[in-house]
Amino acid sequence: MTNGLNALNLEAYEATRDAVSRDPDAGKGSFEAITEWREGAQAVTRARSFTIETDEPESLGGRDEQIDPMELLLASLGTCLTIGWVTKARQRDVDFRSLRIRVSAPFDLRGYLNTDTSVRPGFTELAYTVEVDSDADADTLEEIRKAAEHSSPMFDNILNATPVRGEVSKTF
């Protein structure tokens, strides 16, 4: 096993899994992210102690100085699946020399720009390719792919409609 895969603290993961298995309430919680508008199409999001800045391309009124929010969705899926791949490989004592997940998604600006109401403003599909350099056989890699998808919170949130609710709170 390479140091890279060993950097995943599988013992902490397994201990958490065991604790949640014994007490399901121990696994419940929530995340929160707060996004504040800066200027133009720019915003900054804070989650825990981390910051992400976003912008739009110039063609959509932004300055193209930060990642686009749509690209964040691709990154969220790719990073969540990457963690799943590392975890599932480590649990199976599978090693790889490199792992890269390429996520792509076509869009049609007519939906976002509201020039055709029959076109949705979001992506029309999400597709990903796992590029892996490993001595593991194809069946094992496919098993890891399925296990990573099955346990990925982001994959689940995208694949299954998660209810969204919103409200306005006017500040004075």
Side-chain angles (χ1 to χ4, degrees), residues 164-171:
V164 178
R165 61 183 169 80
E167 63 183 49
V168 175
S169 173
K170 187 172 178 179
T171 58

Side-chain angles (χ1 to χ4, degrees), residues 2 4-5 8 77-90 94-103 128-136 140-142 144-146 148-149:
T2 65
L5 286 177
L8 175 74
L77 179 58
T79 55
C80 197
L81 287 172
T82 297
I83 294 164
W85 265 77
V86 169
T87 303
K88 301 310 175 188
R90 186 93 203 277
V94 170
D95 195 4
F96 37 79
R97 289 170 286 284
S98 67
L99 172 72
R100 179 171 34 190
I101 299 182
R102 183 183 307 268
V103 184
Y128 77 92
T129 302
V130 178
E131 300 168 358
V132 60
D133 182 5
S134 175
D135 292 330
T140 301
L141 294 175
E142 181 62 14
I144 291 170
R145 182 192 67 79
K146 288 179 180 177
E149 283 183 3

Side-chain angles (χ1 to χ4, degrees), residues 21-121:
S21 181
R22 285 189 308 274
D23 178 10
D25 286 339
K28 295 180 181 174
S30 66
F31 283 117
E32 180 179 72
I34 300 172
T35 302
E36 293 182 60
W37 170 67
R38 280 200 175 150
E39 65 177 351
Q42 296 183 340
V44 61
T45 301
R46 290 177 181 79
R48 296 186 294 140
S49 62
F50 304 101
T51 302
I52 299 171
E53 297 181 33
T54 56
D55 195 2
E56 288 286 332
E58 289 180 9
S59 62
L60 295 176
R63 293 183 182 157
D64 202 21
E65 294 176 349
Q66 307 295 337
I67 192 169
D68 183 279
M70 296 285 280
E71 293 165 320
L72 282 177
L73 179 66
L74 304 181
S76 293
L77 179 58
T79 55
C80 197
L81 287 172
T82 297
I83 294 164
W85 265 77
V86 169
T87 303
K88 301 310 175 188
R90 186 93 203 277
Q91 289 172 329
R92 289 164 176 77
D93 290 323
V94 170
D95 195 4
F96 37 79
R97 289 170 286 284
S98 67
L99 172 72
R100 179 171 34 190
I101 299 182
R102 183 183 307 268
V103 184
S104 61
F107 61 86
D108 185 335
L109 283 178
R110 293 177 298 163
Y112 174 71
L113 298 172
N114 202 28
T115 63
D116 185 340
T117 57
S118 69
V119 176
R120 54 184 293 212

